[in-house]
Amino acid sequence: MSRPIKRIAICTGGGDAPGLNAVIRAVVLAATNRGWECYGIRDGFNGILFPERYVEGGVIRLTRERVRGIAHLGGTILGSTNRGNPLHFPTRLPDGSMGEMDRSAEILDYFARQELDALVSVGGDGSLTIADALHRKGLRVVGVPKTIDNDLDKTVTTFGFDTAVSFATECLDRLHTTAESHQRVLVVEVMGRYAGWIALHAGIAGNAHAILIPEIPFDLDQVVRQIRARDDDGRLYSLVVVAEGAVPLQGDMEVAAAAEAGHEQRLGGMGEHVAQALQQRSGKEARVVVLGHLLRGGSPTAFDRLAALRFGAAAVRALDQGLSGVMVALAFPNVNYVALADVAGRMKAVPLDSDTIQTARDLGICLGD
Ligand code: F6P
């Protein structure tokens, strides 16, 4: 039987997402209300691996005072990183080349020395895979699903997604009027990694005329056909939403930066490619707008804020109930717990038979197929 919890730590890892601060606040309040002490690790696990970098210390005490008034703020007061996975830490090898090293023992050792009883790890696929590995190595861990991409399995949604979709939709609303004034094709590239959730949801909500997602390899001739049909109908402009991970039927994903030790490949450029090709093939002026990191910034929507607060409180309840190696998940109308092992390394793509895909087709939106 593991000892009763007195002190816990929380970390936020991977690309930031609106709602991280709400999770931190909920964890700290729920823990403090149980008489536990709460600590925040800076920048993923860097606060433990590189304490010398932090004037205030790499691991900071999180009190009720410290988390006052932060639930509505974007970003994370702890900082985050999507580099430097402690299990595959980028390290220069004796021959000068870059390799990887497992530094997880330093984290386990820190928890033991500081008498930290458990970790709440808030992150996407990468961070939750690390959380699962730390749990297997003996640490008490509960995960909280975060990502604007909504590509995590076993949860209806992640926090951050709704904010990204809402912002992208607002951008599309704005782009309709300028596209129409200039009779242009406007191509809007959105993030989402290898899944098309943001593109699909924002594209439908924002009345796009074509939406290209990684799950449906696209044929640009279909998009040109859609643009021409609109022209013939007197609607002389078109909006095309392109997921950064969208793939042409004949061709490859656009990679902005190749993978390197400790960092995944970065996608980007498909919007530009599609805009150029559409201009050439349709004869209409086409421009590209890349929303990029704007989708990750700003305050969380009320939906994301509430989800994040619920996830944080549920993570503490899980620890209180003696659970470990689980992730809090949203299973409407409640939250539940799923094994981290069932989430780690799995990607949730948009199901092609979903009613959302069907809705796009029923509305006459071209999906590139
Ligand atoms: O996972 C979140 C995300 O914003 C993806 O949509 C995107 O592909 C990636 O992170 C970008 O990462 P970076 O912050 O390294 O540019």
Side-chain angles (χ1 to χ4, degrees):
M1 176 77 181
S2 41
R3 65 168 192 259
I5 291 181
K6 292 204 186 100
R7 291 149 69 90
I8 67 168
I10 177 169
C11 69
T12 54
D16 67 339
L20 282 167
N21 282 324
V23 179
I24 295 170
R25 176 171 162 83
V27 166
V28 171
L29 294 187
T32 308
N33 287 338
R34 283 169 169 79
W36 305 352
E37 282 179 12
C38 202
Y39 293 82
I41 307 168
R42 307 290 307 275
D43 301 334
F45 290 103
N46 283 351
I48 292 177
L49 299 177
F50 304 102
E52 70 284 357
R53 286 185 186 170
Y54 302 90
V55 179
E56 215 192 342
V59 180
I60 54 176
R61 179 80 199 278
L62 292 175
T63 59
R64 191 181 288 278
E65 281 303 310
R66 191 106 194 201
V67 297
R68 177 167 292 161
I70 65 166
H72 65 293
L73 300 178
T76 157
I77 59 165
L78 293 176
S80 190
T81 176
N82 53 11
R83 291 171 186 273
N85 176 344
L87 299 162
H88 302 279
F89 204 85
T91 308
R92 193 158 297 283
L93 301 174
D95 67 359
S97 67
M98 285 306 285
E100 293 178 346
M101 171 183 175
D102 181 355
R103 296 188 64 179
S104 59
E106 293 169 57
I107 292 162
L108 297 175
D109 181 56
Y110 183 89
F111 271 73
R113 273 189 288 117
Q114 299 298 322
E115 298 185 343
L116 286 165
D117 303 305
L119 169 70
V120 175
S121 174
V122 191
D125 178 36
S127 307
L128 295 172
T129 303
I130 298 167
D132 182 44
L134 293 175
H135 160 71
R136 286 165 198 272
K137 288 173 187 272
L139 199 64
R140 263 197 271 188
V141 183
V142 171
V144 172
K146 162 243 65 167
T147 167
I148 63 162
D149 304 333
N150 195 36
D151 59 353
L152 282 178
D153 206 9
K154 305 278 181 252
T155 180
V156 170
T157 191
T158 52
F159 72 84
F161 174 61
D162 185 64
T163 310
V165 169
S166 302
F167 178 72
T169 303
E170 189 192 324
C171 292
L172 287 167
D173 290 347
R174 287 167 184 254
L175 292 171
H176 272 279
T177 53
T178 173
E180 187 163 21
S181 305
H182 289 266
Q183 305 177 357
R184 282 175 171 155
V185 174
L186 278 182
V187 176
V188 183
E189 181 184 298
V190 296
M191 283 185 166
R193 286 212 301 180
Y194 308 109
W197 293 101
I198 299 177
L200 182 68
H201 284 226
I204 296 176
N207 290 307
H209 309 111
I211 303 171
L212 307 180
I213 60 174
E215 291 83 352
I216 305 178
F218 65 85
D219 173 0
L220 269 187
D221 287 341
Q222 300 299 341
V223 184
V224 173
R225 210 161 285 154
Q226 173 86 335
I227 293 169
R228 292 220 170 107
R230 285 179 53 74
D231 272 3
D232 292 346
D233 211 24
R235 290 167 296 160
L236 303 175
Y237 78 101
S238 292
L239 290 193
V240 180
V241 177
V242 178
E244 63 178 357
V247 215
L249 259 179
Q250 261 112 32
D252 293 318
M253 224 167 251
E254 289 285 336
V255 175
E260 55 189 71
H263 194 48
E264 280 185 39
Q265 70 176 8
R266 193 154 49 80
L267 301 178
M270 190 52 83
E272 180 63 43
H273 170 82
V274 166
Q276 280 182 18
L278 287 178
Q279 176 157 314
Q280 238 174 27
R281 295 197 207 179
S282 72
K284 291 183 78 78
E285 195 178 16
R287 294 287 167 84
V288 64
V289 178
V290 180
L291 295 184
H293 293 85
L294 287 168
L295 296 169
R296 298 223 308 243
S299 293
T301 57
F303 179 91
D304 277 341
R305 206 181 301 179
L306 178 61
L309 291 167
R310 290 171 69 194
F311 285 170
V316 172
R317 287 201 300 278
L319 290 174
D320 208 7
Q321 289 162 23
L323 295 177
S324 178
V326 296
M327 179 189 86
V328 182
L330 190 58
F332 279 129
N334 292 314
V335 294
N336 67 2
Y337 302 111
V338 297
L340 275 172
D342 290 341
V343 179
R346 295 217 200 156
M347 193 198 92
K348 181 178 69 181
V350 174
L352 295 185
D353 58 355
S354 68
D355 85 280
T356 318
I357 288 279
Q358 198 49 53
T359 300
R361 296 196 192 284
D362 286 337
L363 295 177
I365 299 171
C366 167
L367 295 179
D369 56 348

